[in-house]
């Protein structure tokens, strides 16, 4: 199945590109030239290529870890029946929800995930805006319980890739709400909220495929036409250089760690929610800013 999924994703590549082209033309014919920009789209493409290269390399190291856990520690053995595949899908989507939620609430993971949120545009090319640092941040650890439960590593890789492929189609403003599907699936409307930085919307709707996890764990918010989404991160990223976009949060985190005076402060900068870490960084900046004579202060 892992090999079949690779072929499916390869076949989907021109579909993804075609959908992006269609969406761009669709908006331009309606006189809206703000949804897409060449610089943003090219940056997204560069980030996707870097991410894919890092992902392929990471799997070479991670799959043997999954295999070792599966061989020595699994508590059950799932076969390739439809019931097992449904269980695999539900397990991975559940774990994806917690990976995604943790990525917004733990700065170490946010340093990687913030790349995906850093564009101030929301279109299908935004789905390509991924970080090559996910393996370093520890994304792969969230799928490890599936090997322990008894799912074969090749099936784990396959379902992770399929889940991410589905999410391409929810990165759009061109599709309205989808009626009853909004109760079950991660739809474009659900995911638009997730990319918004409005106080009402921020850090909500973490769904991968199923939105039921958000509803169960209290993180669901419905899109309100009276509150248009304001896309991007609170700490704005203005560069279109893929490497700058990838490493800017890691750079800031390292600089702040070097200024930290206690281990508690270092722990906060690494593992606290991003807004808490930002408050520590702001205090550091205030303390290290050279004090001018009173007569020169504004």
């Amino acid at each position: 199945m892992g090999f079949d999924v690779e072929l499916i994703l390869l076949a989907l590549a021109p579909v993804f590109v075609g959908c992006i082209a269609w969406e761009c033309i669709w908006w331009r014919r309606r006189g809206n030239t703000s949804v897409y920009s060449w610089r943003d789209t090219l940056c997204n493409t560069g980030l996707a290529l870097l991410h894919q290269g890092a992902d392929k390399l990471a799997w070479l190291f991670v799959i043997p870890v999954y295999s070792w856990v599966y061989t020595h520690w699994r508590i059950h053995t799932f076969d390739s029946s439809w019931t097992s595949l449904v269980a695999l899908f539900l397990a991975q989507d559940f774990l994806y929800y917690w990976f995604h939620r943790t990525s917004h609430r733990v700065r170490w993971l946010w340093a990687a995930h913030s790349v995906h949120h850093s564009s101030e545009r929301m279109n299908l090319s935004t789905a390509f805006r991924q970080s090559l640092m996910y393996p370093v941040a520890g994304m792969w650890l969230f799928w490890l319980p599936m090997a322990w439960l008894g799912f074969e590593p090749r099936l784990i890789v396959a379902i992770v890739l399929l889940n991410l492929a589905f999410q391409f189609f929810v990165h759009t403003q061109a599709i309205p709400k989808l009626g009853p599907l909004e109760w079950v699936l991660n739809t474009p409307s659900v995911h638009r909220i997730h990319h918004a930085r409005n106080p009402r919307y921020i850090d909500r709707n973490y769904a991968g495929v199923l939105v039921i996890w958000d509803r169960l764990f209290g993180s669901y918010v419905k899109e309100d036409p009276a509150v248009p989404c304001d896309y991007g991160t609170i700490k704005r990223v203005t560069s279109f250089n893929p490497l700058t976009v990838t490493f800017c949060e890691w750079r800031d985190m390292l600089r702040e760690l070097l200024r930290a005076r206690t281990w508690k402060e270092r722990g906060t900068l690494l593992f606290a929610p991003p807004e808490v870490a930002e408050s520590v960084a702001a205090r550091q900046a205030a303390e290290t800013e050279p004090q001018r004579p009173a007569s020169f202060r504004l």
Side-chain angles (χ1 to χ4, degrees), residues 102-288:
T102 306
S103 293
H104 280 253
R105 306 313 301 148
V106 174
R107 200 218 184 161
W108 177 263
L109 283 156
W110 175 246
H113 188 59
S114 62
V115 173
H116 183 59
H117 285 266
S118 58
S119 176
E120 296 185 349
R121 290 175 168 81
M122 179 63 163
N123 56 58
L124 289 170
S125 80
T126 307
F128 288 172
R129 194 179 184 94
Q130 303 291 342
S131 175
L132 65 85
M133 295 295 285
Y134 276 128
V136 175
M139 182 180 186
W140 59 276
L141 287 168
F142 286 82
W143 319 140
L144 194 59
M146 288 188 285
W148 174 71
L149 288 172
F151 294 106
E152 292 183 42
R154 65 188 180 91
L155 296 179
I156 295 172
V157 174
I159 201 66
V160 168
L161 295 176
L162 287 174
N163 189 305
L164 295 176
F166 166 85
Q167 291 183 51
F168 169 84
F169 298 100
V170 300
H171 290 83
T172 181
Q173 299 179 63
I175 298 175
K177 291 185 179 181
L178 298 177
L181 291 179
E182 302 286 335
W183 285 92
V184 181
L185 294 178
N186 182 17
T187 66
S189 175
V190 168
H191 204 62
R192 284 193 288 270
I193 295 302
H194 180 68
H195 275 259
R197 58 187 169 193
N198 311 56
R200 178 173 180 174
Y201 295 153
I202 196 166
D203 292 340
R204 298 287 183 169
N205 296 4
Y206 300 107
V209 175
L210 300 175
V211 78
I212 58 174
W213 314 121
D214 285 294
R215 294 182 178 278
L216 281 172
F217 298 112
S219 53
Y220 175 77
V221 168
K222 184 168 65 172
E223 186 177 24
D224 185 350
V227 185
C229 293
D230 177 24
Y231 299 109
T233 50
I234 298 296
K235 190 197 311 188
R236 295 181 63 188
V237 178
T238 57
S239 174
F240 294 97
N241 182 320
L243 292 176
T244 301
V245 174
T246 296
F247 293 110
C248 61
E249 186 65 22
W250 295 95
R251 176 203 62 203
D252 291 350
M253 188 162 58
L254 176 60
R255 183 172 58 223
E256 293 153 14
L257 281 172
L258 293 174
R259 288 201 300 244
R261 292 173 298 185
T262 67
W263 284 108
K264 180 179 179 181
E265 195 170 278
R266 294 184 186 101
T268 299
L269 289 167
L270 284 172
F271 303 115
E275 67 274 13
V276 177
E278 283 301 312
S279 68
V280 173
R283 190 183 71 241
Q284 285 181 337
E287 291 173 351
T288 56

Side-chain angles (χ1 to χ4, degrees), residues 14-193:
V15 175
F16 293 157
V17 173
C19 287
I20 290 170
W22 167 83
E23 186 187 40
C24 183
I25 294 168
W26 189 87
W27 281 115
R28 288 185 180 275
R29 285 181 175 175
R30 282 155 180 76
N32 190 326
T33 58
S34 65
V35 175
Y36 274 89
S37 83
W38 279 109
R39 295 178 75 190
D40 185 72
T41 303
L42 288 173
C43 179
N44 294 344
T45 303
L47 287 164
L49 293 173
L50 290 170
H51 166 71
Q52 286 298 310
D55 222 30
K56 293 291 185 185
L57 186 62
W59 284 126
L60 295 177
F61 295 93
V62 170
I63 290 176
V65 176
Y66 292 171
S67 297
W68 185 83
V69 171
Y70 176 79
T71 301
H72 298 284
W73 293 97
R74 71 180 184 269
I75 60 174
H76 182 68
T77 301
F78 287 93
D79 55 24
S80 296
S81 66
W82 282 108
T83 54
S84 294
L85 293 178
V86 169
L88 174 65
F89 162 72
L90 291 173
Q92 195 274 329
D93 201 56
F94 175 77
L95 292 172
Y96 177 86
Y97 170 85
W98 288 107
F99 153 73
H100 203 178
R101 187 164 182 167
T102 306
S103 293
H104 280 253
R105 306 313 301 148
V106 174
R107 200 218 184 161
W108 177 263
L109 283 156
W110 175 246
H113 188 59
S114 62
V115 173
H116 183 59
H117 285 266
S118 58
S119 176
E120 296 185 349
R121 290 175 168 81
M122 179 63 163
N123 56 58
L124 289 170
S125 80
T126 307
F128 288 172
R129 194 179 184 94
Q130 303 291 342
S131 175
L132 65 85
M133 295 295 285
Y134 276 128
V136 175
M139 182 180 186
W140 59 276
L141 287 168
F142 286 82
W143 319 140
L144 194 59
M146 288 188 285
W148 174 71
L149 288 172
F151 294 106
E152 292 183 42
R154 65 188 180 91
L155 296 179
I156 295 172
V157 174
I159 201 66
V160 168
L161 295 176
L162 287 174
N163 189 305
L164 295 176
F166 166 85
Q167 291 183 51
F168 169 84
F169 298 100
V170 300
H171 290 83
T172 181
Q173 299 179 63
I175 298 175
K177 291 185 179 181
L178 298 177
L181 291 179
E182 302 286 335
W183 285 92
V184 181
L185 294 178
N186 182 17
T187 66
S189 175
V190 168
H191 204 62
R192 284 193 288 270
I193 295 302

